[in-house]
Amino acid sequence: MAGYRDHKFSGSRDDYEKRLAGSTTLYVGNLSFHTKEEQIYELFSKCGDIKRVILGLNRITKTPCGFCFIEYYDREDAHNAIRYIGGTRLDERIIRTDWDAGFIEGRQ
Amino acid sequence: MSKRRNWDDDPERPRKRYRNERPTEEEDIEDNLEHLIVKLGDRSTSALEKNLEELVEILDHDVSKSAKSNIIKIICDCVANLPEKTSIYATLVGLLNNKNYHVGGDIIEMLVKCFKDCTKACEWDKSLSYVRFFGDLVNCHVISHGSLMNLFETLVDVTMEDNIPQVRSDFFVYAVLSALPWVGYELCDKKEQDLEQLLNTIDNYMTKRSKVHHTALRVWYSDTPHPQEEYLDCLWSQITKLRSDKWEENHIYRPYINFSKALCEALQHNLPAITIPPHDASYTYPYPKVVFRLFDYTDCPDGPILPGAHSIDRYLIEQNIRWILSTHHRDLKTCSFSLIGLQGGHKFPLEYVLVETILAEIFALPTSKYLEIFYGSLLLKLCKMQPGSLPQVLAQAVEMIFDRLDTMNVACVDRFASWFAYHLSNFQYAWNWDDWSACLTLDPLHPKPKFVRECLLRCMRLSYHQRIAEIVPDGFKILLPDLPEPMNKYAVTDESIKIPGSGLSNQLNELIKNKTPIEEIMKTLDDLDNSTNAGDAEFTPHSLKIDVFLTVLLNAASKSFSHLFSALLKYNQILLSLNNSEDAQRCILNAIYEVWRRHPQLLVVLTDKLLKAGIVDFPAVANWIFSKELANDFTRSYIWEILHSTIRRHIKQVENLQKKLQELKEAKEKSEKAQSTDKDEKDIKEEKEVEPSNEEAIESLEEKVETALSDQKNLFLIVFQHFIMILSEHIQTCEAKGRSFKNHWFRWCIGRLQQVFEHHQHVFKYNSVLESLLFTNDIDAHILIIFRQFCSLQA
């Protein structure tokens, strides 16, 4: 659970840790550039009800660039996604999952 | 000591301890001991025997009196929660008792208390663990044979109680039977006659049991090649065989054997007489089960022999696997390591039992215990750990299940397709489809081609159309899913063809493209009510409006899920205003279906979004599922995905309301308490002002909960009524034509009715209403029996 950190987070480290501990949002990395939202929905819905998916986009070309945020309604569902989906394949790539402190507009 | 030891916690979570809360030295030792006790028997550098001896030494000498009772509680908790280590803890208690007779007595006292508590709280799994542990303590010379026999007799005597559900007596018989592999040998040795008598009582009970539930819980309806046995029947056969084998089994690891010299000198305790709390209407007992059987020894010709279906070893190994799953299901890594580590002294084909037991859990009826994806990912992990053997066994299992699809429960066919697609998605979709080409010539409604079709659809949902088209041989192209693209019946290129609404469609298309303000679009739509006189019988002006607007909107936003969702959000106001009647809701749903009928996943997601936004309501979706517009897709699984996600959404809504109400009530209680204690200090006026508003909020919430519950009942009534109607009609039509009604369609439909009982906890609330209103004696016996079988799950 120690890997990913949002380096742009404005606020203290403690603050950040606190938000992580209550988060229902995941960061998902190592996606294929061709993976579409609907595939992400299909796979991650297996752990529960998804509130929204935000595809990471390249700042200039506005195309997917290999990561996304997934927000669940329940923390336990998000936790299960980390437990069971992290390290398995989507579009034949091994994806990684981690907690995220919550998506803020502009982080794509 | 309330600090930690939450068994549900993630084991990876680091234990937090802040610097300013420095523990005392004693607490430190205690924590350390707790850790040692919980980890006892896990992978370790030193031998278990040495660890046990050391632990006993510490517990005996270095721990103060007050700490000891905490330690005893920890041991009792371990017994309840780590059943796979029963004999290890029995040995520990045996050694402690040998060192200090009084400590042994204290432990027994605590164990008995815990057993009583969890039986009262309906924590049945824990109760089982305690009964088994009492048995094993006889082996460790802690408990006397006679007093254990008394306990067993008390448990079996529950079968003599009057007016109790069978599931109650089943449980207590099961508790005794499942403890016998541990202690049967000892009892036979010392108390043979009493044991005989006990087994006779059980035998009597076994012949009297009703088995109406059996069919409802079977994964396969056929008994060839393997009978799908009722769980208690099966265990009884296994115990009977164990008895004829002189109570010798090969699976239980008994560390106390190495200490037999020391232990046989120990003094035994007598268990106190335990009374079982009488039946209460609020009690829920475990449902009966059916034993899933896939393999026998002929399926694994190489290597060690697979114990037979009635060998107690088969039961013990499976049980062990289930315990590991339940202890470690939150941690795939530990879970898979423990499973692979099961290969103990006595060899058996581990891969086969693992695959069989995990598949059994996936297919368990009415629902599996954990998330499907837990089992799916666990199998992936096991394949990775045993690449030389497990994938082959799994493939063999898939072939066998495919062969037996003809008589497989419908919900299980769904789970099979969904799991298999997920599994393939992790192995480049590599599969030898040609082996299944025989299914291409079968009736399209036959389970085999239907399974392949559903499985390919699931594969596509995890990847994309082109990819799946590439992986299947040419012959399978007829089973490929549609290209998931939207349709627009109003987009007519030929100007000469005039269909009603095409003019409006063009107009709306422009408006949406130009980002016209919502109000203006609404105005354009409103104007239509007065101007159009669409002479089409299919549409009223209003429904035409709905159809055109949604068709245009969904097509315009078809680029991605995000585009669609934001379009729905943006035009939410218009959509809400369009829903002015039941008919309108049906139009909305049909419009979505017309556009996205080639994209089942999207239909599932969109209906859910519409429900959440209040654009359609729950009964509308249920009615729509059974409408003639969907008749063509009626046997496809996505339809049922929609129905069940709708039911689940409703259940969740009710639960959220109930939770809120609970919270408000608790807050009120708290403030009342606070008020009564520091009345003098606090500003009483202010508190009084808070009070009534709280009261009101509670009242209004209570009302909402009640309405929601009655809506829930309604939803189930609607669903069941539709099933009864559509099935009765089918039976009558077939009989009128002199044909058998038991065709493929009937099988799918009755299976879908059964599947509604997946929501058993909620359906059970309405049993009596269902029985008096819907499932009456007037309806066809083939339909009624499904309901009766369901009811017998808790009868």
Side-chain angles (χ1 to χ4, degrees):
Chain A
M1 211 189 275
Y4 168 84
R5 286 287 181 275
D6 178 13
H7 294 297
K8 285 191 185 147
F9 185 78
S10 55
S12 73
R13 218 192 123 102
D14 271 4
D15 230 25
Y16 187 66
E17 296 294 332
K18 221 182 259 168
R19 294 204 27 193
L20 274 189
S23 170
T24 58
T25 305
L26 305 181
Y27 163 88
V28 182
N30 201 32
L31 293 171
S32 151
F33 288 3
H34 303 290
T35 299
K36 291 195 287 183
E37 279 171 286
E38 44 201 287
Q39 292 165 263
I40 296 167
Y41 264 92
E42 177 71 12
L43 181 60
F44 283 87
S45 293
K46 289 176 188 285
C47 290
D49 211 358
I50 294 175
K51 199 168 183 178
R52 58 176 177 169
V53 171
I54 294 141
L55 264 191
L57 298 178
N58 184 303
R59 201 166 308 166
I60 298 136
T61 60
K62 299 285 178 209
T63 51
C65 61
F67 72 92
C68 75
F69 300 100
I70 299 172
E71 191 181 346
Y72 286 92
Y73 287 94
D74 294 334
R75 179 163 169 92
E76 187 56 18
D77 295 345
H79 207 162
N80 282 334
I82 289 183
R83 287 174 185 135
Y84 307 138
I85 299 183
T88 65
R89 287 172 193 271
L90 178 58
D91 262 340
E92 283 142 69
R93 293 169 65 87
I94 293 182
I95 56 174
R96 45 174 287 210
T97 50
D98 219 321
W99 288 110
D100 187 79
F103 174 76
I104 300 157
E105 210 55 57
R107 277 182 61 200
Q108 287 125 303
Chain B
M1 265 316 278
S2 62
K3 286 170 292 179
R4 272 149 269 116
R5 219 167 62 246
N6 184 351
W7 299 96
D8 295 340
D9 249 2
D10 192 333
E12 281 175 81
R13 199 189 68 171
R15 292 179 159 192
K16 273 192 190 147
R17 167 142 273 162
Y18 297 105
R19 215 170 265 174
N20 49 4
E21 276 180 45
R22 253 206 94 78
T24 64
E25 208 170 305
E26 194 167 288
E27 270 181 39
D28 235 3
I29 295 174
E30 227 178 89
D31 278 357
N32 218 340
L33 277 176
E34 176 182 344
H35 183 77
L36 286 177
I37 294 170
V38 175
K39 294 285 166 204
L40 194 61
D42 292 357
R43 253 163 212 267
S44 158
T45 44
S46 51
L48 174 67
E49 282 76 17
K50 200 159 160 277
N51 290 341
L52 274 167
E53 275 166 351
E54 280 172 8
L55 191 54
V56 170
E57 213 49 50
I58 303 169
L59 289 174
D60 191 46
H61 286 295
D62 303 345
V63 181
S64 71
K65 185 84 182 148
S66 64
K68 226 164 237 173
S69 66
N70 285 334
I71 301 289
I72 289 176
K73 184 75 180 82
I74 293 168
I75 295 175
C76 290
D77 284 351
C78 284
V79 169
N81 293 295
L82 302 168
E84 70 271 26
K85 297 200 272 189
T86 295
S87 292
I88 294 174
Y89 291 116
T91 313
L92 175 67
V93 173
L95 293 172
L96 284 171
N97 180 56
N98 188 31
K99 280 257 178 214
N100 188 330
Y101 184 73
H102 294 292
V103 169
D106 290 347
I107 294 177
I108 302 277
E109 198 182 313
M110 179 63 94
L111 284 167
V112 169
K113 184 185 172 300
C114 290
F115 169 68
K116 283 181 179 164
D117 287 349
C118 62
T119 307
K120 216 174 225 157
C122 293
E123 292 178 348
W124 304 115
D125 280 344
K126 290 184 185 177
S127 303
L128 288 177
S129 297
Y130 285 121
V131 175
R132 191 181 310 110
F133 195 66
F134 289 137
D136 217 13
L137 285 185
V138 169
N139 298 325
C140 297
H141 285 257
V142 181
I143 290 178
S144 68
H145 298 74
S147 68
L148 181 77
M149 269 323 294
N150 288 342
L151 172 65
F152 280 5
E153 279 156 16
T154 312
L155 297 176
V156 170
D157 279 348
V158 171
T159 60
M160 321 280 187
E161 289 175 9
D162 291 323
N163 297 322
I164 54 157
Q166 181 173 297
V167 280
R168 175 178 167 87
S169 35
D170 277 0
F171 171 78
F172 288 101
V173 169
Y174 184 84
V176 172
L177 289 182
S178 67
L180 281 176
W182 271 262
V183 71
Y185 185 88
E186 271 294 311
L187 290 181
C188 178
D189 195 33
K190 300 273 168 29
K191 294 273 166 193
E192 196 177 355
Q193 287 219 316
D194 293 349
L195 181 64
E196 290 291 306
Q197 202 173 347
L198 184 84
L199 292 171
N200 281 339
T201 318
I202 295 176
D203 193 26
N204 259 331
Y205 173 69
M206 294 303 296
T207 55
K208 281 191 313 207
R209 291 177 71 231
S210 145
K211 271 170 252 170
V212 182
H213 56 270
H214 191 182
T215 316
L217 298 172
R218 293 170 70 131
V219 173
W220 287 293
Y221 299 116
S222 160
D223 272 336
T224 44
H226 303 299
Q228 305 297 306
E229 287 181 284
E230 208 273 341
Y231 81 121
L232 211 53
D233 278 352
C234 182
L235 181 57
W236 178 237
S237 306
Q238 287 160 334
I239 293 293
T240 311
K241 186 166 179 303
L242 177 65
R243 178 191 192 177
S244 63
D245 289 344
K246 308 259 175 322
W247 301 99
E248 273 180 36
E249 52 72 41
N250 293 309
H251 185 71
I252 300 171
Y253 168 59
R254 302 173 192 264
Y256 40 79
I257 289 177
N258 294 329
F259 298 100
S260 52
K261 234 188 212 155
L263 289 176
C264 67
E265 292 162 10
L267 286 171
Q268 292 173 326
H269 299 262
N270 280 325
L271 271 176
I274 296 174
T275 45
I276 307 299
H279 175 62
D280 185 279
S282 68
Y283 282 15
T284 51
Y285 300 93
Y287 291 162
K289 288 184 267 294
V290 168
V291 180
F292 177 87
R293 277 278 169 264
L294 185 63
F295 295 126
D296 65 24
Y297 70 97
T298 58
D299 298 312
C300 30
D302 313 320
I305 291 173
L306 181 69
H310 286 165
S311 152
I312 199 70
D313 290 337
R314 187 78 164 262
Y315 169 81
L316 292 170
I317 299 166
E318 286 170 5
Q319 187 71 290
N320 222 328
I321 294 173
R322 290 216 168 80
W323 287 335
I324 291 173
L325 296 184
S326 87
T327 308
H328 300 299
H329 68 274
R330 286 187 175 80
D331 180 1
L332 272 186
K333 202 171 152 199
T334 317
C335 191
S336 44
F337 267 106
S338 312
L339 290 175
I340 297 291
L342 268 178
Q343 189 65 276
H346 203 84
K347 291 277 180 229
F348 57 92
L350 176 64
E351 291 85 358
Y352 285 87
V353 198
L354 278 178
V355 166
E356 188 179 72
T357 313
I358 295 172
L359 290 173
E361 294 262 307
I362 293 179
F363 295 134
L365 292 167
T367 45
S368 39
K369 197 167 172 194
Y370 305 113
L371 288 181
E372 175 197 301
I373 194 163
F374 158 65
Y375 301 111
S377 298
L378 178 63
L379 285 169
L380 291 176
K381 199 136 229 151
L382 292 172
C383 281
K384 227 184 266 173
M385 290 169 77
Q386 306 279 47
S389 54
L390 214 121
Q392 288 84 326
V393 176
L394 202 53
Q396 191 182 342
V398 170
E399 291 291 354
M400 292 167 102
I401 300 172
F402 183 80
D403 275 342
R404 298 171 199 178
L405 273 172
D406 302 45
T407 64
M408 196 177 197
N409 173 295
V410 168
C412 295
V413 178
D414 278 358
R415 295 185 207 169
F416 182 35
S418 167
W419 162 72
F420 189 50
Y422 173 68
H423 191 77
L424 288 179
S425 79
N426 272 269
F427 289 98
Q428 287 99 45
Y429 299 99
W431 188 251
N432 209 346
W433 300 94
D434 277 325
D435 290 349
W436 291 349
S437 55
C439 78
L440 297 171
T441 55
L442 296 170
D443 179 339
L445 274 189
H446 186 281
K448 284 183 180 172
K450 258 188 98 59
F451 165 76
V452 174
R453 195 187 280 274
E454 291 290 348
C455 185
L456 292 176
L457 174 64
R458 293 277 176 179
C459 287
M460 188 193 69
R461 286 167 65 161
L462 287 165
S463 76
Y464 50 98
H465 193 271
Q466 179 69 24
R467 177 89 176 97
I468 303 309
E470 280 164 11
I471 59 153
V472 290
D474 283 344
F476 282 74
K477 294 277 190 280
I478 49 164
L479 297 180
L480 273 183
D482 298 322
L483 198 62
E485 286 192 331
M487 299 205 273
N488 185 350
K489 60 174 176 252
Y490 296 108
V492 191
T493 38
D494 191 344
E495 286 286 331
S496 62
I497 305 170
K498 275 265 179 253
I499 59 163
S502 61
L504 173 62
S505 143
N506 289 335
Q507 198 186 345
L508 282 175
N509 206 3
E510 283 305 308
L511 290 177
I512 288 175
K513 256 194 198 137
N514 297 334
K515 305 206 164 127
T516 316
I518 312 272
E519 292 74 24
E520 258 174 71
I521 298 183
M522 275 183 102
K523 205 170 165 300
T524 317
L525 285 169
D526 284 341
D527 288 346
L528 259 147
D529 277 336
N530 314 320
S531 63
T532 338
N533 44 358
D536 198 299
E538 204 184 328
F539 286 112
T540 64
H542 188 70
S543 65
L544 183 67
K545 210 162 71 182
I546 292 174
D547 199 59
V548 174
F549 178 71
L550 272 166
T551 308
V552 171
L553 183 65
L554 293 176
N555 273 285
S558 64
K559 199 175 156 202
S560 74
F561 273 29
S562 275
H563 287 85
L564 275 167
F565 300 158
S566 54
L568 290 181
L569 197 67
K570 189 170 167 193
Y571 297 101
N572 187 38
Q573 198 189 342
I574 299 185
L575 293 167
L576 278 171
S577 76
L578 287 173
N579 164 21
N580 59 7
S581 67
E582 243 174 75
D583 273 344
Q585 293 188 34
R586 187 164 166 163
C587 271
I588 294 173
L589 290 165
N590 277 334
I592 289 170
Y593 175 67
E594 287 286 325
V595 177
W596 284 113
R597 65 198 305 169
R598 293 188 292 202
H599 198 330
Q601 183 200 0
L602 192 50
L603 287 176
V604 178
V605 178
L606 280 180
T607 14
D608 195 45
K609 289 265 175 202
L610 295 180
L611 276 172
K612 262 191 273 189
I615 293 162
V616 296
D617 55 30
F618 294 88
V621 177
N623 288 323
W624 176 60
I625 298 278
F626 291 89
S627 68
K628 64 175 192 309
E629 284 86 355
L630 287 194
N632 272 334
D633 284 357
F634 189 75
T635 59
R636 295 182 61 184
S637 72
Y638 85 88
I639 295 284
W640 307 99
E641 219 181 314
I642 294 178
L643 180 71
H644 292 293
S645 94
T646 303
I647 295 176
R648 269 194 296 271
R649 166 85 42 224
H650 201 285
I651 289 171
K652 213 169 166 186
Q653 241 179 37
V654 178
E655 281 171 352
N656 284 342
L657 282 174
Q658 284 170 330
K659 213 163 88 191
K660 253 193 225 154
L661 180 62
Q662 191 62 32
E663 278 166 8
L664 266 186
K665 278 185 176 165
E666 271 163 25
K668 190 184 156 206
E669 253 170 54
K670 235 186 211 167
S671 79
E672 271 172 4
K673 250 187 208 160
Q675 212 176 3
S676 62
T677 48
D678 34 62
K679 226 176 207 163
D680 310 326
E681 299 157 42
K682 285 256 167 167
D683 188 0
I684 299 171
K685 253 190 208 162
E686 200 184 78
E687 296 228 355
K688 272 203 174 145
E689 263 170 347
V690 180
E691 261 296 296
S693 72
N694 208 348
E695 196 87 24
E696 262 170 47
I698 289 180
E699 249 170 55
S700 94
L701 249 182
E702 265 169 352
E703 246 167 64
K704 273 189 197 157
V705 168
E706 228 160 85
T707 322
L709 275 172
S710 107
D711 286 349
Q712 188 180 72
K713 182 173 77 186
N714 251 341
L715 183 61
F716 281 120
L717 283 175
I718 290 171
V719 170
F720 286 125
Q721 191 165 21
H722 276 300
F723 267 114
I724 293 173
M725 272 171 16
I726 204 167
L727 280 163
S728 309
E729 203 184 293
H730 172 81
I731 294 174
Q732 278 159 16
T733 327
C734 288
E735 276 173 352
K737 287 182 187 158
R739 274 191 306 218
S740 162
F741 62 83
K742 288 185 176 168
N743 56 9
H744 289 307
W745 184 91
F746 178 76
R747 219 192 71 117
W748 291 111
C749 190
I750 208 108
R752 294 303 177 186
L753 165 60
Q754 258 182 336
Q755 198 186 5
V756 180
F757 298 119
E758 168 181 310
H759 311 281
H760 46 98
Q761 286 148 324
H762 304 277
V763 181
F764 270 135
K765 285 191 278 197
Y766 310 118
N767 252 9
S768 53
V769 185
L770 290 172
E771 197 166 9
S772 61
L773 283 182
L774 293 177
F775 292 97
T776 57
N777 284 323
D778 308 338
I779 66 170
D780 191 281
H782 294 88
I783 309 170
L784 189 58
I785 186 73
I786 304 294
F787 179 68
R788 294 264 161 88
Q789 285 166 357
F790 168 67
C791 290
S792 64
L793 289 188
Q794 60 168 21

